[in-house]
Structure formats: structure tokens, C-alpha cells
Amino acid sequence: MNLILFGAPGAGKGTQSSLLIERMGMTQISTGDLFRAAIKNKTDLGRKAQEFMDRGELVPDLIVIGMVEEVLNKSVKDFILDGFPRTVAQAEALDELLKKMNLSIGKAVFLEVPMSELMDRLTGRRVCRSCGAVYHVKSKPPKKDGICDLCGGEVYQRQDDKAEVIETRLKNYEEFTSPLKAFYKKAGKYVEVDGNRSTEDVFSDIRQIIA
Ligand code: AP5
């Protein structure tokens, strides 16, 4: 089944996607990760995206939609859309794209996490610069400070995980992404999962949804 995983910044989309890849063999399409890779590789796309990301703003719809279309054209299946769509315009464009490609989305899973918890998760998050593994200074620190357990890469804090940028991201989420709940309810695909529990409990719910 193809899945949309959505929710506020820090809700656990990336963490749950990693488990779905590892245990269910699914493929993740994360627009945030694609942009970060483009920035690392200093491509035109990366240069365009970086100015928006560093400020905590959304990258313009046309740029995001074009990038997702390219990935979907590579005939992926059993995919998780992580961080896309993020606006109603993106959701409508996705419907068009999928129709053209004869593909569909089974469920749009919303991870519900209270704002107070999101702030703590985001300010404490650390990420491996090489393999993208996700840590948290309190709940999931790497064994050796600043070094990734999995690949030995450098563990760093994302520029957009600084407190002042997080505020803008959360505001944009409320304004532009939160209306997707109504969009997917209307489409009969909306499922809500309580994301404010252990990663294993959250994963167990998602597994049941896609079973
Ligand atoms: P993106 O990378 O997608 O960021 P995001 O949506 O803000 O999501 P995050 O990666 O911050 O959080 P997450 O939900 O994946 O949480 P995680 O699992 O890491 O996008 C970045 C930027 O790119 C955007 O701001 C925008 O500029 C641009 N962009 C991307 N897509 C776009 C689009 N479609 N349109 C326009 N612009 C776009 O977990 C967070 C922390 O919490 C970790 O430390 C983790 O260990 C911890 N944690 C996770 N689960 C739990 C749990 N159950 N209990 C306790 N701790 C937990």
C-alpha cells in the first residue's frame, strides 16, 4: 500500500518511515531529505530550496511538485510520502500525478503530537550528516557524543532546528499543512494515530493500518 505520513515538524514522520523501510520493505520519499541532499550536492534545486528551509518557510509548491513527479516517475511502489503534500495545492497536484500514473494512496496517516512535546523533540534532535540517522540528546543520544552509531559520521543539529526557526515552521504548519486533515477526511483516506507514545507503540498502530 502507498501511504502518506503527515503531521507537524517533529511529529516522528522520519522515525516511523525508517521503521517502515527496515521492517516492511517500504520506500520512503521524503521531500525534506531530497532537498537536504540537493543542498549537500550544491545543485540548482538545493540553492533554491536552502533559502526557504533556513528560514523555516515552505519551498514554493511548483518546485516541490516537480521534484516529486521526477521521483514517482522512477516507478516506485509501496512508498511512504514523508513531508509531502504539505499544502492543499500540493495534495491536489499529487492526485493529478497519481491519476496520470495509474497509482493511488491507500491511507493518509496523521501523527498527532501536542505542541509542547514538538518543541522538545525538535530542539533536542541531532542528525547524522552522512547517513541521516536521527538521534535525540535526551531520549536517543548516540553512544559516542557527536558520532553516529551506524556509520561513524558526524552528528549535528539541523540549521532549522534552532528555536527561532522552529517557531516559523510550526506557524507554517498550522496555516498550510493542518488543512490537509479536512482534505483527506473528505477523500475517505484519513487515519489519526496518537504520536505521543513510544516509537514502538506508534509503529504498531501504523503497521495495523497498512496490514
Ligand atoms: P522536513 O525535513 O520534512 O521537516 P519536518 O516536516 O519539519 O519534519 P521533521 O523532519 O522536522 O520531523 P519528523 O516528523 O520527521 O520527526 P523525526 O522523526 O525526525 O522539511 C524540512 C524543510 O524542507 C521544511 O521546513 C521546508 O522548508 C522544506 N520542505 C520539505 N517538504 C516540503 C514540502 N512538501 N513543501 C514545501 N517545503 C517543503 O523526530 C523528531 C525528533 O523526535 C527526533 O529526535 C526523534 O528521535 C524524536 N522522536 C520521534 N518519535 C518519537 C517518539 N515517539 N517519542 C519520543 N521522541 C520521538
Side-chain angles (χ1 to χ4, degrees), residues 62-132:
L62 274 181
I63 298 178
V64 189
I65 292 161
M67 180 177 75
V68 171
E69 181 169 14
E70 248 180 61
V71 179
L72 287 175
N73 269 327
K74 290 178 189 152
S75 46
V76 282
K77 66 178 179 78
D78 284 341
F79 57 80
I80 314 148
L81 287 170
D82 162 2
F84 179 89
R86 229 171 173 105
T87 64
V88 170
Q90 289 180 18
E92 287 167 349
L94 175 66
D95 279 353
E96 287 300 312
L97 277 179
L98 293 175
K99 207 154 80 187
K100 261 199 310 197
M101 293 171 181
N102 220 6
L103 291 170
S104 65
I105 292 293
K107 297 282 177 204
V109 177
F110 175 71
L111 294 178
E112 168 68 32
V113 176
M115 281 292 162
S116 51
E117 168 73 10
L118 293 173
M119 203 62 184
D120 184 60
R121 286 190 188 182
L122 290 169
T123 50
R125 174 171 51 190
R126 300 292 181 269
V127 182
C128 173
R129 214 180 271 287
S130 306
C131 73

Side-chain angles (χ1 to χ4, degrees), residues 10 12-15 31 36 57 83 86 90 125 135 169 197:
K13 305 178 292 292
T15 301
T31 42
R36 278 184 288 277
E57 290 168 10
R86 229 171 173 105
Q90 289 180 18
R125 174 171 51 190
Y135 298 93
R169 288 166 65 201
R197 296 171 297 154

Side-chain angles (χ1 to χ4, degrees), residues 6-18 28 30-33 35-36 49-50 52-61 64-65 67-68 82-87 90 111 113 117-118 120-122 124-127 134-137 139-140 158 160-161 165 169 172 194-202:
F6 74 117
K13 305 178 292 292
T15 301
Q16 294 302 322
S17 294
S18 299
Q28 178 193 28
S30 158
T31 42
D33 286 351
F35 285 135
R36 278 184 288 277
Q50 184 162 24
F52 296 97
M53 291 173 77
D54 283 352
R55 292 197 298 259
E57 290 168 10
L58 293 182
V59 177
D61 286 338
V64 189
I65 292 161
M67 180 177 75
V68 171
D82 162 2
F84 179 89
R86 229 171 173 105
T87 64
Q90 289 180 18
L111 294 178
V113 176
E117 168 73 10
L118 293 173
D120 184 60
R121 286 190 188 182
L122 290 169
R125 174 171 51 190
R126 300 292 181 269
V127 182
V134 175
Y135 298 93
H136 189 279
V137 288
S139 60
K140 200 186 165 204
R158 270 168 47 177
D160 61 348
D161 278 347
V165 186
R169 288 166 65 201
N172 283 330
D194 177 1
N196 197 18
R197 296 171 297 154
S198 73
T199 51
E200 287 300 332
D201 285 352
V202 177

Side-chain angles (χ1 to χ4, degrees), residues 30-50:
S30 158
T31 42
D33 286 351
L34 289 168
F35 285 135
R36 278 184 288 277
I39 290 169
K40 196 170 160 188
N41 295 328
K42 299 185 166 42
T43 65
D44 274 354
L45 175 70
R47 265 187 291 278
K48 279 184 206 150
Q50 184 162 24

